[in-house]
Amino acid sequence: MRDPDCVFCSIIAGELPADLVVETEDLVGFLDQRPVFKGHVLLVPRQHVVTLPDLPAALRDPFLATAQRLATAVVDALGAQGSFVAINNVVSQSVPHLHLHVVPRTKGDGLRGFFWPRTKYDDGERAAYAARLREALG
């Protein structure tokens, strides 16, 4: 199922560009267009699901397993010391399609609480970050 007005559904369908990091039969992970830190990945189900409580039971384990792999990949591929993993449900959910954030973290990176400053990629840099993460995922 797809919502024709959903940005993430359009990315999944290949109608909008994105730097893909991981693809499975049920899930897609791609770099956030406005990352908190470079390498910030969004993991989404291919099926249009609005919030975590709406996620079908059959997708719960694959969704979390892929999130675990991404949390490891940002450390292995990007030299991060850890990661911040989060899901917003309705409030602060900028796109009404379930998405899990995996943000690479290092001590002293400036992230405080839930104030998320955003950064930008330089030309061509986003594709290089996506390639590094894909390599770490195997």
Side-chain angles (χ1 to χ4, degrees), residues 2-63:
R2 171 171 195 254
D3 179 341
D5 298 322
C6 175
V7 172
F8 290 168
C9 285
S10 294
I11 288 172
I12 293 162
E15 298 167 359
L16 290 176
D19 291 279
L20 301 182
V21 172
V22 64
E23 286 188 272
T24 71
E25 182 179 331
D26 298 314
L27 306 167
V28 176
F30 51 90
L31 293 180
D32 192 310
Q33 295 287 329
R34 294 179 34 238
V36 174
F37 298 116
K38 294 173 182 178
H40 177 167
V41 179
L42 300 177
L43 177 64
V44 302
R46 288 185 183 273
Q47 177 181 342
H48 184 78
V49 173
V50 177
T51 64
L52 185 60
D54 301 323
L55 186 67
L59 293 181
R60 283 192 307 241
D61 286 346
F63 190 71

